[in-house]
């Protein structure tokens, strides 16, 4: 343990790691503050440029963008009622009314302090529980991983925004694309159509850039999005008394974010609304929520920032990404030949502990950067799209090409950009696609291993861990079916009422 900590200190305490975290947080705040550019888009855009960095430096850069992006989304949500990220949508409910009431600065600072508190709580939980979960995961064999991944796939569909049928369609398409390449057991070609570039499968990073960045550019030119006018900041303050009053909602939201973030696929948006709903229910000022109540802003921001560190728990401990952003960060591990999971804690413990040190330091950077530049970054909401979008498109082209110096990858990026745009127009969620693309090969691999090892069918139900995930798998399917039937019934009754 001490040897690992000493190794982690040696790996982490290097100038480039501190600069990477600071740059990541600032980039994240910048991107998050611009409506239409999300944290996941920022991480996907920067990912190809981390190819030649040290593993820890590249991962901390992406983690910094993630954390800054989540906080930055609150800036436009509060000032112009346009959430910079989906997770900040709940913040508009009270943030924008506060701006209209002349309390924009108080709302921004409330969001900052709630976010930093939740981020710190989330990071502590990551450090406390990731190792414990990884030690439990060492007891996992193929059938245990099989049921875990099956449960994760159902969760991904269950939390899909909008129709769960569309979530299933998205996941199914992701599974089909994951089959492209050579069969790992027999070496036969699958869906390559004789193209040598597809023998090793679809390039993950160009695909991510295409799915998350290009649709926003196409959407901008398709809709000719209108410019927003941001209000000037005022002299209102978020006081210590405000923090004391909001503390129950902040800490409740922090732990909600941790719990939701630790469930693969749940995401920050769900955590923000859940935190906001409970804060409204238990607060003595619940009747003021939605009219410009700072406690509502704090509850929402605590919920979505509490997810940031917790989503790394299943990624590091089990190799299963907690949300779409950590799915993209998984690409950084892949670039550097690191395989997240329980063995990572044994084979590369110094890197894992260095990442832990980095995420703790990122909370300090987030507080300082937010305190001093958040107000300045408010003017970013006025950046014209005609200037911004061509620059983003150039980053897409260069980033996709830079991964392997291959023009085919640029074509992959453009192809998936069109698919992402089609998903956007038909309101099919992208998250199930990405997570199914990542999880389906793991599911297939563990299913094949189980079939090769098993003496009989009872092997698939051999341990209590299997039964825990089987129960969760069935419960998730039942919940999804009931939810879909209920929505269908409401839709049928709608026109009659």
């Amino acid at each position: 343990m001490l040897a690992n900590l000493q190794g982690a200190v040696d790996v982490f305490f290097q100038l480039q790691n501190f600069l990477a975290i600071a740059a990541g947080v600032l980039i994240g705040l910048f991107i998050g503050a611009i409506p239409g550019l999300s944290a996941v888009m920022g991480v996907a855009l920067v990912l190809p440029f981390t190819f030649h960095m040290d593993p820890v430096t590249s991962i901390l850069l992406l983690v910094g963008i993630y954390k800054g992006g989540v906080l930055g989304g609150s800036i436009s949500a509060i000032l112009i009622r346009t959430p910079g990220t989906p997770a900040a949508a709940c913040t508009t409910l009270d943030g924008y009314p506060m701006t209209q009431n002349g309390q924009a600065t108080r709302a921004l600072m409330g969001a900052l302090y709630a976010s930093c508190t939740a981020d710190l709580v989330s990071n502590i939980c990551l450090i406390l529980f990731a190792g414990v979960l990884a030690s439990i995961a060492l007891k996992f064999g193929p059938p245990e991983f099989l049921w875990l991944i099956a449960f994760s796939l159902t969760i991904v569909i269950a939390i899909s925004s909008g129709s769960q049928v569309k979530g299933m369609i998205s996941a199914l398409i992701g599974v089909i694309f994951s089959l492209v390449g050579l069969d790992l057991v027999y070496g036969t070609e699958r869906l390559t159509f004789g193209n040598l570039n597809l023998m090793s499968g679809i390039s993950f990073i160009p695909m991510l850039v295409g799915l998350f960045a290009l649709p926003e550019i196409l959407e901008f030119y398709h809709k000719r999005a209108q410019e927003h006018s941001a209000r000037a900041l005022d002299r209102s303050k978020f006081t210590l008394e405000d923090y004391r009053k909001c503390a129950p909602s902040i800490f409740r939201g922090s732990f909600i974010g941790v719990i939701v973030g630790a469930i693969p696929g749940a995401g920050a948006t769900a955590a923000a609304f859940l935190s906001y709903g409970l804060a409204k229910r238990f607060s003595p000022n619940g009747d003021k929520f939605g009219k410009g109540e700072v406690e509502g802003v704090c509850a929402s921001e605590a919920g979505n920032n509490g997810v940031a560190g917790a989503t790394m728990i299943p990624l590091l401990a089990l190799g299963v990404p907690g949300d779409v952003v950590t799915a993209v960060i998984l690409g950084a591990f892949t670039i550097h030949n690191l395989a997240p999971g329980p063995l990572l804690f044994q084979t590369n413990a110094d890197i894992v502990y260095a990442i832990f040190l980095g995420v703790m330091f990122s909370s300090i950077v987030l507080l300082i950067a937010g305190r001093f530049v958040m107000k300045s970054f408010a003017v970013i909401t006025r950046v014209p799209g005609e200037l911004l979008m061509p620059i983003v498109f150039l980053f897409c082209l260069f980033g996709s090409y830079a991964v392997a110096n291959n023009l085919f990858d640029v074509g992959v990026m453009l192809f998936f950009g069109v698919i992402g745009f089609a998903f956007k127009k038909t309101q099919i969620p992208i998250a199930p696609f990405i997570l199914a693309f990542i999880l389906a090969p793991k599911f297939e691999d563990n299913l094949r291993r189980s079939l090769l090892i098993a003496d009989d069918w009872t092997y698939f139900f051999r341990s209590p861990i299997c039964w825990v995930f089987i129960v969760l798998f069935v419960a998730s399917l039942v919940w999804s079916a009931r939810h879909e039937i209920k929505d269908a019934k409401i839709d049928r009754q709608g026109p009659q009422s």
Side-chain angles (χ1 to χ4, degrees):
M1 179 72 177
L2 289 177
N4 290 332
L5 282 175
Q6 181 61 47
V9 169
D10 294 339
V11 171
F12 173 67
F13 280 93
Q14 298 185 37
L15 181 61
Q16 65 264 30
N17 292 333
F18 292 96
L19 294 176
I21 294 171
V25 170
L26 291 174
I27 293 171
L29 280 170
F30 182 87
I31 290 176
I34 301 172
L37 304 187
S38 62
V40 63
M41 179 184 178
V43 173
L45 274 176
V46 174
L47 178 60
F49 300 99
T50 64
F51 193 80
H52 297 291
M53 294 182 182
D54 289 335
V56 173
T57 307
S58 64
I59 291 165
L60 291 181
L61 173 65
L62 300 179
V63 169
I65 294 173
Y66 180 17
K67 290 174 180 291
V70 174
L71 175 59
S74 66
I75 297 175
S76 54
I78 290 170
L79 295 181
I80 58 176
R81 206 182 185 183
T82 305
T85 60
C90 190
T91 307
T92 61
L93 299 178
D94 281 284
Y96 187 67
M98 287 185 71
T99 300
Q100 290 179 309
N101 296 335
Q103 298 181 339
T105 305
R106 185 179 178 220
L108 285 174
M109 291 299 108
L112 170 65
Y113 293 125
S115 299
C116 291
T117 304
D119 186 60
L120 183 63
V121 171
S122 187
N123 290 340
I124 293 172
C125 290
L126 166 66
I127 294 169
L128 290 178
F129 299 122
V132 175
L133 190 57
S135 63
I136 296 173
L138 286 173
K139 300 176 182 176
F140 281 38
E144 285 80 11
F145 273 115
L146 180 73
W147 288 114
L148 166 64
I149 295 166
F151 166 62
S152 301
L153 284 169
T154 63
I155 283 287
V156 168
I157 297 169
I159 53 85
S160 298
S161 56
S163 169
Q164 291 169 18
V165 173
K166 290 183 177 179
M168 291 178 67
I169 292 172
S170 177
L172 182 62
I173 296 172
V175 170
I176 292 171
F177 278 109
S178 74
L179 296 174
V180 176
L182 296 178
D183 185 293
L184 294 177
V185 176
Y186 299 106
T188 54
E189 295 181 25
R190 298 194 303 197
L191 302 175
T192 62
F193 305 102
N195 192 322
L196 292 176
N197 291 297
L198 293 175
M199 291 293 185
S200 57
I202 294 173
S203 299
F204 187 47
I205 295 169
M207 182 185 78
L208 292 174
V209 174
L211 281 174
F212 291 110
L214 207 54
E216 303 301 337
I217 300 170
L218 295 173
E219 178 76 2
F220 175 80
Y221 287 106
H222 178 70
K223 292 179 68 175
R224 300 298 300 175
Q226 296 178 349
E227 299 298 330
H228 304 280
S229 57
R231 288 170 177 256
L233 294 179
D234 46 64
R235 294 182 178 275
S236 60
K237 292 182 179 179
F238 184 80
T239 63
L240 190 61
E241 179 61 24
D242 284 330
Y243 188 88
R244 190 196 61 75
K245 188 181 75 172
C246 299
S249 295
I250 292 173
F251 283 98
R252 188 192 303 113
S254 302
F255 286 109
I256 288 171
V258 169
I259 294 169
V260 172
I263 300 172
T269 307
F273 278 98
L274 187 57
S275 172
Y276 183 85
L278 289 177
K280 183 177 181 180
R281 182 174 181 180
F282 291 110
S283 172
N285 301 316
D287 56 333
K288 296 179 183 177
F289 276 47
K291 301 173 184 174
E293 174 60 42
V294 71
E295 192 176 351
V297 174
C298 291
S300 169
E301 286 300 303
N304 64 37
N305 281 274
V307 169
T311 53
M312 298 284 286
I313 295 175
L315 175 67
L316 290 173
L318 302 170
V320 177
D323 64 359
V324 182
V325 183
T326 47
V328 181
I329 293 175
L330 178 62
F333 282 91
T334 306
I335 285 174
H336 297 287
N337 295 320
L338 296 172
L343 293 179
L344 185 68
F345 285 78
Q346 293 184 337
T347 57
N348 297 99
D350 54 341
I351 290 179
V352 174
Y353 285 107
I355 293 172
F356 286 166
L357 290 172
V359 295
M360 288 302 292
F361 180 70
S362 69
S363 295
I364 300 171
V365 175
L366 193 68
L367 177 63
I368 296 172
R371 185 70 181 84
F372 290 100
V373 306
M374 204 168 173
K375 295 178 185 176
S376 304
F377 275 27
V379 300
I380 297 168
T381 55
R382 301 174 184 173
V383 173
E386 286 80 2
L387 175 66
L388 190 67
M389 291 304 170
I391 297 173
V392 174
F393 183 62
L394 282 176
F395 270 101
C396 293
L397 293 176
F398 286 134
S400 303
Y401 181 76
V403 174
N405 295 332
N406 187 353
L407 275 177
F408 184 80
D409 286 342
V410 177
V412 170
M413 183 273 291
L414 294 172
F415 175 75
F416 280 99
V418 174
I419 287 184
F421 183 66
F423 274 31
K424 196 178 183 72
K425 300 307 291 182
T426 53
Q427 297 183 333
I428 295 176
I430 291 179
F433 176 96
I434 292 295
L435 294 170
F437 183 86
I438 293 170
L439 295 177
K442 294 178 184 288
F443 182 87
E444 181 189 7
D445 182 43
N446 285 288
L447 177 61
R448 283 185 163 186
R449 287 188 189 186
S450 299
L451 291 172
L452 289 172
I453 297 171
D455 296 325
D456 53 49
W457 60 271
T458 58
Y459 180 75
F460 289 91
F461 312 97
R462 66 173 187 171
S463 68
I465 297 175
C466 286
W467 281 105
V468 168
F469 288 117
I470 289 170
V471 170
L472 292 172
F473 171 73
V474 173
S476 179
L477 284 180
V478 171
W479 184 87
S480 300
R482 288 187 62 184
H483 195 267
E484 189 67 22
I485 293 170
K486 185 179 176 182
D487 287 348
K489 193 177 291 182
I490 292 172
D491 289 342
R492 282 198 301 271
Q493 291 173 349
Q496 298 170 2
S497 58

